[in-house]
Amino acid sequence: RAQPVQRFAGASRYSLERGGVAWIVARHGVVLGEDYPVGGPSARWPIGAGTRGFAALLAASLVEDRLMSLDEPVALTLGDWGAHPAKAAISIRMLMSGASGVAFGPRGPRDLAAALALEPLDQPGVRFIDDAAPYVLLVEIARRKLEASGRGPDPARYLTERTLAPIGCVPIGWTRFPDGAPRFDDGAVLSARAWAQAGELVRRAGVWRAQQLADDA
C-alpha cells in the first residue's frame, strides 16, 4: 500500500472515512501523494460518468489522425440523418458538447438502434442535456470511420493502443453493449494512477513527450 505524505494526511483520512478505495494527488505529472486502502495502486475501479472524458480523447485522436472533424455534420457518417431537418444540422461538436438536443427518454431501450432513431428534444444548440445517447452515437461514428479507413473497427481498442498505452493509462477495461460496442458513457474500469495519466494528457493539450497524440481543438 502506498503511503500518503504528511501534507495530505487529512485527505487520506477524509477518503477512508467515506469508504474511498483510492486517491491520488498529482501536479504536472508528478505524484505528490496517494493512498490505496483497498486493492493497492494497480487495482482497477469503474469510474462511472468519468468515462466520458475518454470520449473526448477518442474524438481528439480521430481528429489528429484526420479521420474526422469536430465541425462536420453527424449526417456525413450517419447518412439517414441528412434527411431529417433537425438532425441534419447537428455537428459532432454539438453532439459531444451535449447541445445536440438528442437524448434518451426516461423509459425504453438505450442501445444504438434506439439512439439512431431518436427525435431531438430541442433544436441543436438550444440547451445542454446530460445524457448517454451522444456517447452511444459517437462510438458508432468512430466505428464506421475506423472501418472505412481500413483500421480495426473497435473504438476502445483504437483509443487504448493509439493514445492510452503510450501515456501509461493502462490496463483499462470496458463494459460493452450486447452487440460488443464499448460503453463510453460509463463503462471504463482503470486504476487511479492510469486515470491521472489521462488527466495529464488533457492538461498538456494532447501533447506527450513532444508528440501531439490528440488534437487540442
Side-chain angles (χ1 to χ4, degrees), residues 51-52 54-56 58-59 62 68 74 77-78 92 95-96 110-112 115-116 132-147 152-159 174-177 179-188:
T51 302
R52 298 178 182 190
F54 289 111
L58 171 62
L62 291 166
M68 186 177 79
V74 170
T77 306
L78 306 182
I92 291 176
L95 192 71
M96 295 194 59
R110 304 172 71 84
D111 55 13
L112 175 59
L116 290 170
Y135 299 94
V136 175
L137 292 166
L138 176 66
V139 168
E140 176 61 11
I141 291 168
R143 185 193 69 77
R144 295 188 189 187
K145 287 186 177 295
L146 289 168
E147 190 170 54
D154 187 328
R157 178 171 294 181
Y158 162 79
L159 179 65
W174 302 86
T175 57
R176 294 176 179 267
F177 287 101
D179 64 359
R183 297 196 59 159
F184 272 74
D185 59 323
D186 67 357

Side-chain angles (χ1 to χ4, degrees), residues 21-83:
V21 296
W23 67 261
I24 184 170
V25 178
R27 184 172 185 267
H28 299 309
V30 178
V31 175
L32 303 179
E34 57 185 344
D35 195 19
Y36 305 96
V38 181
S42 62
R44 294 188 295 172
W45 304 95
I47 62 171
T51 302
R52 298 178 182 190
F54 289 111
L57 287 178
L58 171 62
S61 297
L62 291 166
V63 172
E64 184 64 24
D65 282 344
R66 291 179 167 77
L67 299 179
M68 186 177 79
S69 164
L70 293 181
D71 293 314
E72 71 180 57
V74 170
L76 186 65
T77 306
L78 306 182
D80 291 348
W81 282 34

Side-chain angles (χ1 to χ4, degrees), residues 10 13 18 41 45 47 54 70 72 75 80 99 119 122 137 141 145 164 169-170 195 208 212-213 216:
R13 184 171 57 254
R18 287 155 180 78
W45 304 95
I47 62 171
F54 289 111
L70 293 181
E72 71 180 57
D80 291 348
E119 286 293 319
D122 257 322
L137 292 166
I141 291 168
K145 287 186 177 295
L164 302 183
C169 183
V170 287
W195 199 9
W208 197 267
Q212 189 78 48
L213 279 183
D216 63 354

Side-chain angles (χ1 to χ4, degrees), residues 5 10 12 15 24 65 78 117 131 166 172 183-184 198 200 205 209-210 214:
V5 296
S12 180
S15 176
I24 184 170
D65 282 344
L78 306 182
D131 191 78
I172 183 170
R183 297 196 59 159
F184 272 74
E200 180 63 10
R209 294 180 179 174

